[in-house]
């Protein structure tokens, strides 16, 4: 396991090219199972989770051919003409919850799938009951046995109506992909509207799917017999962009972020502006700096898109821990997404958690310390805190970072951060 050592206090200055979105790439890769013809994805980020999904698809029999892209990311062609098995094993699924996204495509195209239950993860139990109920509404017969979800649809799936009791990104994606090959029309209501869901829908349409209502909370899908080949460019990663925008603000620097469209971050940028961050659209992208008054405390509640994303909650907390005033941060999406609080406290942050809310009272300065990463976004919040802290911070278990941030060390050091990575002693 590796650790990252950061000497804090340097304002970040320069440009960061934002990579392709992890949370678009993973469902897009799973969508390759829906077609016997090749799907080429461009601007794929080089991340541990993309490698895990590639391994999962390969063990299903998908042929993978990659070529380096001209941009940061890579271009990979996935050919699912011949699938050797429809089993997604525990040892792969347990590593990455998004593995469950092969369930819908497999049962829709092959009439069967056996996918390990993902198990919990650091931020909560994260069941897949909405995925299962949605697929059952399309006629899949589903059993849970021995920690696996077994789905069958020998006569193929039939279009149906799915009303999600609450917004689920993964369940929307799984059921939408399955509905593309179901006989007849499916209607998905209270569907997730995250940009990554929209990106997946656009790719499915490019493959020949018939989807109306893209970007809204009601998706109407007319099933087709077969999907064809397509090439699709993965959208920029709004969570990576939001993370680096906060890195610029917390260090009092000036970063220009390119490769992601401003409108994917509207709510985030509104909140950042309220907290004293200056955001300017430039030819090169979005320039992020701090206004004279410095950072101010602003309350935030995480919500499904277009609300404030739960994936930026931990990073925002790090930023608020050195703001003037207080900020109430409420997490409404996951039941246990405050694992970063005790680690930030070790650096001097003043945070009190009451159930789903955390009251952050800004302090003058954070102090470097030894801290432990617990999950992907918690680890990026520790990086932000370390960049602003006085002195040296050692962050252990940084493999969490590798899941979602391509070349984070290179991108930060190119903008003046004093950051090095070495094996845990
Ligand atoms: C996606 O996870 C993202 N991951 C998450 O990003 C993100 O935090 C989340 O959406 C919310 O935006 C990918 O896209 C790969 P959900 P997903 O289904 O689909 C509960 C990151 O850091 N739920 O919208 O798993 C669930 O427990 C990751 O990049 C059920 O109860 O999230 C959670 O509390 C973390 N039953 C809530 O709904 C279900 O069947 C939202 O989950 C499904 C979900």
């Amino acid at each position: 396991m590796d650790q990252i050592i950061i000497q804090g206090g340097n304002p970040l200055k320069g440009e960061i090219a934002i990579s392709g979105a992890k949370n678009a790439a993973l469902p897009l890769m799973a969508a390759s199972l829906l077609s016997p013809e090749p799907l080429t994805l461009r601007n794929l980020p080089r991340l541990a989770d993309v490698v895990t999904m590639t391994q999962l698809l390969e063990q299903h029999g998908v042929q993978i051919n990659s070529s380096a892209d001209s941009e940061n990311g890579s271009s990979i062609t996935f050919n699912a003409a011949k699938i050797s098995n429809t089993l997604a094993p525990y040892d792969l699924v347990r590593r990455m919850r998004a593995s469950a996204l092969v369930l819908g495509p497999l049962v829709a195209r092959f009439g069967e799938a056996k996918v390990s239950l993902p198990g919990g993860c650091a931020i909560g139990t994260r069941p897949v009951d909405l995925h299962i109920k949605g697929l059952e509404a399309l006629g899949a017969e589903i059993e849970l046995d021995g920690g696996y979800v077994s789905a069958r649809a020998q006569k193929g799936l039939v279009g149906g109506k799915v009303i999600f009791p609450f917004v689920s990104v993964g369940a929307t994606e799984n059921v939408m992909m399955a509905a593309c090959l179901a006989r007849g029309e499916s209607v998905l209501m209270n569907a997730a509207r995250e940009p990554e869901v929209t990106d997946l829908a656009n790719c499915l349409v490019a493959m020949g799917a018939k989807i109306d209502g893209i970007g809204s909370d009601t998706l109407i899908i007319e099933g087709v017999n077969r999907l064809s080949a397509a090439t699709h460019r993965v959208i920029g990663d709004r969570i990576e962009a939001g993370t680096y925008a906060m890195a610029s603000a917390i260090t009092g620097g000036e970063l220009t972020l390119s490769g992601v469209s401003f409108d994917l971050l509207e709510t985030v940028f509104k909140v950042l502006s309220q907290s004293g961050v200056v955001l300017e659209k430039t030819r090169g992208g979005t320039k992020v700096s701090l206004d004279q008054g410095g950072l101010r405390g602003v309350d935030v509640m995480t919500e499904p898109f277009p609300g404030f994303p739960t994936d930026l909650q931990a990073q925002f907390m790090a930023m608020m821990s050195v703001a003037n005033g207080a900020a109430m941060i409420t997490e409404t999406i996951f039941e246990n997404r405050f694992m970063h609080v005790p680690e930030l406290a070790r650096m001097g942050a003043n945070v009190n958690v009451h159930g789903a809310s955390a009251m952050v009272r800004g302090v003058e300065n954070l102090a470097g310390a030894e801290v432990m990463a617990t999950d992907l976004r918690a680890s990026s919040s520790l990086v932000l805190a370390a960049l602003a802290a006085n002195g040296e911070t050692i962050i252990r278990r940084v493999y969490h970072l590798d899941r979602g941030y391509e070349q984070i060390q290179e991108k930060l050091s190119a903008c003046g951060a004093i950051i090095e990575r070495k094996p845990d002693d």
Side-chain angles (χ1 to χ4, degrees):
M1 286 195 207
D2 283 357
Q3 60 182 244
I4 277 184
I5 301 115
I6 294 175
Q7 306 298 334
N10 280 18
L12 298 180
K13 292 196 188 313
E15 286 221 0
I16 292 183
I18 298 300
S19 304
K22 167 180 84 77
N23 291 350
L26 298 175
L28 286 166
M29 291 164 75
S32 66
L33 290 165
L34 285 165
S35 168
E37 297 181 29
L39 172 62
T40 298
L41 295 175
R42 304 190 55 245
N43 194 35
L44 274 171
R46 291 189 184 83
L47 295 170
D49 275 8
V50 170
V51 171
T52 303
M53 183 59 91
T54 303
Q55 289 165 346
L56 178 61
L57 294 174
E58 276 178 328
Q59 68 87 40
H60 283 309
V62 176
Q63 303 287 318
I64 311 267
N65 293 301
S66 65
S67 62
D69 237 4
S70 54
E71 308 154 85
N72 266 349
S74 50
S75 175
I76 299 181
T77 297
F78 302 85
N79 191 328
K82 291 192 187 54
I83 292 300
S84 47
N85 83 79
T86 57
L87 169 74
Y90 174 65
D91 70 317
L92 275 171
V93 175
R94 71 180 169 78
R95 264 193 261 159
M96 183 184 65
R97 170 180 166 73
S99 310
L101 293 169
V102 301
L103 180 64
L106 287 172
V107 71
R109 182 165 162 225
F110 302 101
E112 61 170 35
K114 187 169 179 181
V115 177
S116 168
L117 279 167
C121 68
I123 61 177
T125 52
R126 307 181 72 191
V128 287
D129 52 328
L130 270 65
H131 300 237
I132 291 168
K133 286 200 191 81
L135 293 173
E136 284 175 334
L138 303 187
E141 290 148 31
I142 294 185
E143 280 166 26
L144 299 181
D145 58 2
Y148 279 80
V149 176
S150 291
R152 305 182 69 73
Q154 288 310 352
K155 300 196 188 67
L157 293 177
V158 179
K161 186 171 185 178
V162 181
I163 303 175
F164 292 107
F166 52 83
V167 171
S168 162
V169 170
T172 300
E173 291 166 340
N174 235 336
V175 179
M176 174 169 68
M177 287 191 280
C180 290
L181 293 180
R183 274 193 315 283
E185 179 181 88
S186 297
V187 180
L188 275 53
M189 300 177 77
N190 201 22
R193 298 170 50 200
E194 270 64 9
E196 295 75 26
V197 176
T198 296
D199 200 39
L200 173 63
N202 290 332
C203 177
L204 291 168
V205 166
M207 294 165 74
K210 294 193 176 103
I211 305 175
D212 283 328
I214 295 176
S216 80
D217 63 0
T218 304
L219 297 168
I220 300 162
I221 300 143
E222 185 59 41
V224 295
N225 290 331
R226 187 179 193 278
L227 292 177
S228 341
T231 295
H232 180 81
R233 185 182 184 283
V234 181
I235 52 167
D237 192 323
R238 63 194 169 105
I239 304 303
E240 185 194 17
T243 304
Y244 287 127
M246 294 182 201
S248 179
I250 200 171
T251 60
E254 187 174 289
L255 285 182
T256 296
L257 308 176
S258 61
V260 66
S261 76
F262 199 100
D263 59 18
L264 299 188
L265 284 151
E266 209 168 320
T267 305
V268 176
F269 284 174
K270 202 182 298 171
V271 168
L272 291 184
S273 307
Q274 288 163 358
S275 58
V277 179
V278 178
L279 298 140
E280 288 164 68
K281 273 190 184 175
T282 66
R283 234 198 349 275
T286 304
K287 191 163 84 170
V288 188
S289 56
L290 212 42
D291 72 20
Q292 298 304 329
L295 282 172
R296 298 184 288 276
V298 170
D299 295 350
V300 138
M301 178 179 282
T302 63
E303 291 172 308
F305 192 84
F308 191 92
T310 173
D311 292 347
L312 283 173
Q313 178 258 107
Q315 300 90 313
F316 187 72
M317 186 182 289
M319 199 176 82
M320 289 292 99
S321 65
V322 289
N324 299 313
M328 172 73 90
I329 297 177
T330 304
E331 171 59 55
T332 69
I333 307 290
F334 288 101
E335 77 267 19
N336 178 27
R337 206 169 192 178
F338 285 142
M339 312 275 280
H340 42 287
V341 170
E343 299 305 315
L344 289 172
R346 288 177 52 74
M347 300 177 71
N350 178 348
V351 185
N352 283 301
V353 174
H354 303 278
S357 291
M359 173 54 85
V360 186
R361 291 182 178 82
V363 295
E364 191 67 32
N365 286 301
L366 295 174
E370 282 197 46
V371 291
M372 181 88 75
T374 51
D375 61 86
L376 170 56
R377 305 306 174 180
S379 42
S380 65
S381 86
L382 297 178
V383 170
L384 298 195
L387 289 168
N390 291 336
E392 177 176 278
T393 298
I394 298 175
I395 304 174
R396 299 185 188 287
R397 297 192 184 173
V398 292
Y399 60 84
H400 290 290
L401 274 174
D402 298 335
R403 296 191 51 183
Y405 292 95
E406 182 177 6
Q407 297 183 318
I408 186 166
Q409 194 191 326
E410 293 81 353
K411 291 184 178 183
L412 287 175
S413 49
C415 296
I418 303 174
I419 180 171
E420 63 166 320
R421 180 173 181 145
K422 65 179 198 169
D424 258 341
D425 36 3

